[in-house]
Amino acid sequence: MVEQKKVIPFKDDAGISYELTQRLLKRGRPNGLSAVFPISTQQIIVADWVHLKCRYGCNKYNTNWTCPPATPSSEKVKSILGEYSMALLLVGSKNCTDFYMNNGRKRVSQVRCWKGTISIERMLFLEGYYKAFSLVGECCALCKECAYPEDCRFPQEKRPSVESFGIDVIGTLKKLGLTTRVATSNHQDYNYFAIILLE
Ligand code: SF4
């Protein structure tokens, strides 16, 4: 599992302090957050094949505001990432035996991670990182059924998922020198990932 053994050095004058990452971690721990890594946006791998996984094989495709095709295209994503120099990779761990279900327990688990990420984005905004913007793990489950394509019921909480941005999470982790493993049973703990873009 990925843990906060070290903070990857971030060589940029606009970097984020170790002290702040620890405060963010403290804020996120009740929501399952286990590590915060400052990274450069140049270390984030975006690949077109990720959208194949959304378009073919995921039942959320075209059903949720936080998933494709409602989210930005690959070209737009690359352009957006170019407007940010740094990001925080948030890593959490959880165990959800209902991972493949669409029930209340599964939603509670998703909402907890979702709100945890948005609250950290808010904290960063108040710290002066005015461009802070979250890409959240999995899709939004704030509503039992997403209103898509009708108007979102909680637009202030709406953010794209990491996957919808075409981000190759495993490839990015490898590039950062981090490792994770795919859970092979729904009784195993697994990591989830969110990214907050910063300047
Ligand atoms: S808040 Fe509700 S309507 Fe909006 S994206 Fe989330 S699930 Fe969909």
Side-chain angles (χ1 to χ4, degrees), residues 145-169:
E145 270 189 43
C146 183
Y148 180 85
E150 305 303 325
D151 290 348
C152 173
R153 298 186 190 98
F154 302 100
Q156 69 277 25
E157 314 270 345
K158 185 172 73 170
R159 301 290 186 280
S161 71
V162 175
E163 297 81 6
S164 79
F165 251 48
I167 292 175
D168 171 2
V169 175

Side-chain angles (χ1 to χ4, degrees), residues 9-10 12 37-44 84-87 172 176:
F10 183 76
D12 191 303
F37 296 104
I39 62 174
S40 161
T41 44
Q42 291 181 356
Q43 292 170 299
I44 298 174
Y84 288 89
S85 60
M86 62 180 293
T172 301
L176 293 167

Side-chain angles (χ1 to χ4, degrees), residues 16 23-37 66 87-94 108-126 129 131-142 156-163 167 191-198:
I16 190 164
R23 276 196 285 132
L24 297 173
L25 190 56
K26 190 174 173 192
R27 164 74 67 92
R29 277 202 200 282
N31 289 313
L33 192 68
S34 54
V36 177
F37 296 104
T66 66
L88 286 184
L89 172 68
L90 309 185
V91 185
S93 56
K94 61 180 174 178
V108 166
S109 158
Q110 278 176 275
V111 168
R112 192 170 154 236
C113 300
W114 196 274
K115 287 196 170 274
T117 302
I118 305 290
S119 76
I120 288 177
E121 178 200 290
R122 177 75 183 154
M123 196 171 155
L124 284 159
F125 176 78
L126 295 175
Y129 294 89
K131 286 170 67 178
F133 187 78
S134 303
L135 309 173
V136 191
E138 295 192 54
C139 64
C140 181
L142 293 177
Q156 69 277 25
E157 314 270 345
K158 185 172 73 170
R159 301 290 186 280
S161 71
V162 175
E163 297 81 6
I167 292 175
N191 284 131
Y192 67 88
F193 302 92
I195 288 175
I196 302 183
L197 301 173
L198 294 174

Side-chain angles (χ1 to χ4, degrees), residues 57-75:
C58 182
N59 61 10
K60 296 298 178 194
Y61 183 79
N62 204 21
T63 68
N64 193 298
W65 279 113
T66 66
C67 296
T71 46
S73 65
S74 300
E75 291 70 33

